[in-house]
């Protein structure tokens, strides 16, 4: 996958972070990250939206956060804020198919209690 130049995003880092922190981060954070990831995979998503997406995902996987992820309860709040802002900016490109892909992945990790939004 190609990403905008000068971003710290990589697919392998994204999946490592998700797998390592899925339960700790919670469904809301993971759901938004998956929405963005799958929206970025779509060829119809324009370059400007992919730039926003990869910027938010790079922040999510970065070990340097405004609030370290190891802090209980608050650790992922900055990640959630960055992901939510990106979701709002590119919401037009988060299609029903993107949501279905995310829901399927959420169900495989969290079981049938996965978000149905």
């Amino acid at each position: 996958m190609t990403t905008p130049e000068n971003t710290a995003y990589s697919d392998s880092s994204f999946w490592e972070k998700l797998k390592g922190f899925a339960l700790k981060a919670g469904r809301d954070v993971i759901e938004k990250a998956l929405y963005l990831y799958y929206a970025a995979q779509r060829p119809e998503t324009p370059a400007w939206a992919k730039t926003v997406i990869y910027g938010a995902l790079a922040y999510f996987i970065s070990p340097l956060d405004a609030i370290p992820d190891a802090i209980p309860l608050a650790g992922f709040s900055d990640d959630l804020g960055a992901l939510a802002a990106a979701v709002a900016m590119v919401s037009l490109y988060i299609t029903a198919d993107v949501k279905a892909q995310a829901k399927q992945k959420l169900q495989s990790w969290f079981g049938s209690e996965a978000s149905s939004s």
Side-chain angles (χ1 to χ4, degrees), residues 1-21:
M1 160 178 302
T2 59
T3 61
E5 292 183 27
N6 301 324
T7 64
Y9 174 81
S10 77
D11 275 356
S12 61
S13 294
F14 172 76
W15 288 113
E16 285 176 33
K17 174 93 177 210
L18 278 187
K19 288 175 186 174
F21 289 97

Side-chain angles (χ1 to χ4, degrees), residues 55-115:
L57 293 178
Y59 183 81
F60 174 66
I61 63 175
S62 172
L64 302 173
D65 280 353
I67 303 172
D69 295 339
I71 297 174
L73 301 176
F76 288 96
S77 61
D78 61 320
D79 294 307
L80 180 58
L83 295 172
V87 165
M89 290 178 70
V90 301
S91 62
L92 182 63
Y93 305 103
I94 299 173
T95 64
D97 185 50
V98 165
K99 289 181 179 184
Q101 288 177 289
K103 182 178 180 179
Q104 182 178 16
K105 183 59 81 176
L106 284 168
Q107 285 177 339
S108 75
W109 286 346
F110 292 104
S112 61
E113 297 177 12
S115 175

Side-chain angles (χ1 to χ4, degrees), residues 4 36 39-40 44-55 86 89-91 93:
L36 293 171
E44 301 85 4
T45 301
W48 73 264
K50 288 181 180 186
T51 300
V52 169
I53 290 168
Y54 290 126
M89 290 178 70
V90 301
S91 62
Y93 305 103

